[in-house]
Amino acid sequence: MSPMSETADAAAAEPGNEGEAAGCHRFVVVASRLPVDRTEGPGGQVEWRPSPGGLVSALEPVMREAAGVWIGWSGDTGPAPGPFRANDLDLVGMGLSPEQFRDYYEGFCNATLWPLYHDVIAPPEFHRRWWDAYVTVNRSFATAAVAQAAPEATIWVHDYQLQLVPQMVREQRADVRIGFFNHIPFPGYEIFAQLPWRRQVVNGLLGADLLGFQRRADATNFLRACRRTAGLATRGSTVRIGDREVRAAAFPISIDAQSLEQIARRESVRKRAGEIRMALDEPDTVLLGIDRLDYTKGIPVRLRAYGELLREARLGPRVVLVQVATPSRERVGAYRVLRDEVELAVSRINGEHAEVGSPPVHYLHQSYPREEMAALYLAADVMLVTSLRDGMNLVAKEYVACRYDESGALVLSEFTGAADELSGAFLVNPHDIEGLKDAIVRAATISPGEARRRMRLMRKRVSEHDVAHWAESFLGTLERPPGTWPTL
Ligand code: GDG
């Protein structure tokens, strides 16, 4: 991280002041969202509350060392907040008009790219107006990045919402180093090829020096798209484009395992985990699912498997499933259909199998503070992650990080990035309902010794490969001159 490890010349702005003058930042993060949420104080004044996530905690040390700035959408369709300072970070809040929110965010991002990149689990929609909005919004983010970046700065662009930004920045600034990380899968070529603007997207990404993906298979899919869409030659993980070399490789993202474990170890959180089990009427086995309510997460297959297990009486009478389904993208049609499907399935299971006061499914369509999440992870004997397609799945890693007593079992879909790393899990093909049922039964009846052996393996992986390791290895590779890249 050479250019970023020197102390910045520009003095950091004081809290409450505007961000640093344009062009001063040697490290620029460009992400679809800011790491803070806008709220209104008691007097109606705007306040920015940190929205803590792995990404910001991983990047915070680099941001501080290198006079970094974070460019992202503020989360509403009001005027763009512009540069400001909050939570001790320099931020630039981008705006989306109501039309851009509809065409760019809900349209091209959530109803074109999201289903396309998740193996068309839902049919993607292609609309030229949405694409035009995608180009316009990407251009505004690129312009903001160019304005903030110091000479020879490092710019790290995140995710599928901003795939054109690398090229748009490079056109204006040959001096900067550009990294891009894709948080979701990159699809196989036959699927990607459906995108009417596939060439523009590949060219947009190729503006970066280094492209990071969750899994090796995603990087391979991207390299194939370069060959097929742009006719470019690739060698190993490198694409040659004119006199430049672009690298595409796997950098599996992770979590801040240590701080989550600290939360799980708190007396108050352990007490709360006990209360949760008590409120569930002290069952023998608690199964847990925590997902955004998204069709990629395989909630219906999980409910189907569980319902059949109850009908076949294969789990014993004192088993419950707690399913947290965090509200998500509620205005997009496919998400409304999914919510109805999930809620119908939950009602059917409870209708068929509940006794008064003890439903077999506890369904929670709400979001919770981090402490409550940790208590839920602690209260669960078996964690169910049955995604049909998932870039990584941080929930699986969070469960492992919280199980400091090495108990518990994880049922994990093969179609998650986490499956490449968590070899102690019961791996399942979520489309294979019989296989899924068998895995749930095995996980629910695991011996304490076997559980400990599996959990220890997973905890070692997650603690050694945490989110700081991820950020360091990506930025470390990005900072190296092309000839000195390590074998990835
Ligand atoms: C995308 C990719 C990739 C959920 N409900 C609550 C809550 N959460 C937190 C979880 C976890 C995060 O949200 C969800 O992360 P996932 O990785 O499971 O899934 P996506 O949201 O789809 O994320 C994914 C990820 O990007 C990172 O690259 O792994 O594949 O799809 O951290 O804990 N947090 C709180 N309350 C909730 O109710 N506090």
Side-chain angles (χ1 to χ4, degrees):
M1 281 186 256
S2 49
M4 294 183 296
S5 50
E6 300 151 21
T7 311
D9 292 332
E14 287 305 312
N17 288 355
E18 266 215 342
E20 295 191 350
C24 287
H25 298 283
R26 285 185 294 104
F27 182 54
V28 181
V29 176
V30 190
S32 80
R33 291 296 295 268
L34 287 173
V36 289
D37 291 323
R38 193 209 303 255
T39 54
E40 281 198 4
Q45 77 280 18
V46 172
E47 287 177 359
W48 295 94
R49 295 245 174 90
S51 56
L55 195 55
V56 63
S57 51
L59 298 182
E60 234 177 275
V62 193
M63 296 270 293
R64 292 192 202 295
E65 247 183 78
V69 64
W70 186 305
I71 298 169
W73 176 42
S74 60
D76 63 42
T77 52
F84 65 104
R85 201 170 158 82
N87 194 26
D88 256 357
L89 296 171
D90 280 336
L91 307 168
V92 178
M94 304 295 291
L96 290 184
S97 69
E99 294 73 30
Q100 287 173 335
F101 178 77
R102 183 191 64 205
D103 294 343
Y104 159 78
Y105 178 73
E106 292 190 323
F108 203 77
C109 293
N110 290 345
T112 303
L113 291 174
W114 181 267
L116 186 76
Y117 280 30
H118 287 91
D119 287 357
V120 298
I121 297 167
E125 288 183 46
F126 303 114
H127 299 293
R128 282 164 284 183
R129 197 184 68 226
W130 292 2
W131 165 253
D132 292 343
Y134 188 73
V135 175
T136 307
V137 172
N138 271 250
R139 192 164 300 287
S140 67
F141 275 69
T143 305
V146 164
Q148 295 294 327
E152 298 183 9
T154 293
I155 300 181
W156 193 359
V157 184
H158 287 264
D159 226 359
Y160 66 103
Q161 299 95 342
L162 299 169
Q163 294 173 102
L164 308 180
V165 170
Q167 177 65 18
M168 288 171 168
V169 169
R170 182 161 302 282
E171 279 164 9
Q172 301 176 62
R173 291 284 295 269
D175 61 303
V176 294
R177 218 184 283 262
I178 305 170
F180 178 91
F181 185 77
N182 203 47
H183 290 252
I184 68 173
F186 195 89
Y189 185 69
E190 285 66 26
I191 290 177
F192 181 69
Q194 291 179 20
L195 185 66
W197 307 279
R198 62 195 184 196
R199 185 114 76 98
Q200 291 93 316
V201 167
V202 165
N203 286 338
L205 290 168
L206 285 172
D209 298 291
L210 177 65
L211 293 154
F213 296 90
Q214 300 278 26
R215 309 178 90 164
R216 194 183 286 264
D218 299 315
T220 308
N221 287 343
F222 172 74
L223 290 163
R224 181 140 180 261
C226 291
R227 293 193 294 272
R228 298 289 303 273
T229 314
L232 293 167
T234 64
R235 216 173 122 243
S237 56
T238 306
V239 191
R240 178 158 280 284
I241 161 162
D243 59 352
R244 291 197 310 121
E245 280 194 343
V246 177
R247 201 86 192 274
F251 293 88
I253 200 169
S254 194
I255 57 165
D256 187 348
Q258 208 185 348
S259 76
L260 187 57
E261 178 172 338
Q262 276 164 8
I263 294 176
R265 282 178 180 274
R266 279 183 207 157
E267 177 62 36
S268 58
V269 172
R270 287 187 286 147
K271 188 163 159 266
R272 176 66 195 141
E275 285 166 8
I276 291 171
R277 286 192 76 105
M278 236 149 54
L280 295 170
D281 205 15
E282 302 279 10
D284 293 339
T285 311
V286 176
L287 311 176
L288 174 67
I290 295 185
D291 314 79
R292 269 189 313 103
L293 186 46
D294 192 294
Y295 51 78
T296 60
K297 304 291 182 184
I299 303 171
V301 290
R302 188 180 313 168
L303 291 169
R304 181 146 173 225
Y306 181 59
E308 289 188 18
L309 287 171
L310 292 177
R311 209 167 303 134
E312 294 158 11
R314 286 179 64 192
L315 279 176
R318 299 192 46 78
V319 175
V320 295
L321 168 64
V322 177
Q323 177 63 56
V324 175
T326 312
S328 182
R329 305 176 190 174
E330 296 192 292
R331 287 161 35 124
V332 177
Y335 289 75
R336 286 204 288 252
V337 172
L338 173 73
R339 182 172 176 190
D340 287 347
E341 186 189 349
V342 166
E343 294 182 355
L344 184 65
V346 169
S347 312
R348 284 218 170 118
I349 295 172
N350 282 340
E352 280 173 31
H353 301 284
E355 286 177 16
V356 172
S358 59
V361 185
H362 291 253
Y363 168 74
L364 305 154
H365 183 245
Q366 297 162 45
S367 38
Y368 294 96
R370 220 164 156 61
E371 290 70 20
E372 182 72 2
M373 301 275 289
L376 283 163
Y377 288 134
L378 277 186
D381 302 292
V382 178
M383 184 82 215
L384 301 177
V385 176
T386 56
S387 311
L388 305 179
R389 180 53 88 193
D390 215 331
M392 175 53 61
N393 196 285
L394 297 180
V395 164
K397 292 187 172 180
E398 288 168 2
Y399 177 66
V400 167
C402 285
R403 307 299 302 196
Y404 58 84
D405 70 353
E406 299 177 340
S407 67
L410 173 66
V411 172
L412 179 62
S413 163
E414 292 165 12
F415 302 117
T416 61
D420 286 353
E421 296 180 76
L422 302 181
S423 50
F426 291 90
L427 291 183
V428 291
N429 169 3
H431 300 281
D432 169 12
I433 298 286
E434 288 305 323
L436 177 55
K437 283 157 62 182
D438 290 346
I440 294 173
V441 171
R442 282 167 60 211
T445 54
I446 193 172
S447 72
E450 171 76 354
R452 195 171 316 113
R453 189 188 62 76
R454 285 172 174 264
M455 189 54 79
R456 200 173 279 165
L457 208 61
M458 295 193 283
R459 285 178 55 75
K460 183 168 186 309
R461 173 76 197 186
V462 172
S463 81
E464 286 172 0
H465 292 79
D466 65 359
V467 73
H469 172 91
W470 167 77
E472 277 161 24
S473 69
F474 184 91
L475 291 171
T477 307
L478 178 59
E479 295 302 315
R480 294 171 98 138
T484 68
W485 276 331
T487 310
L488 295 169

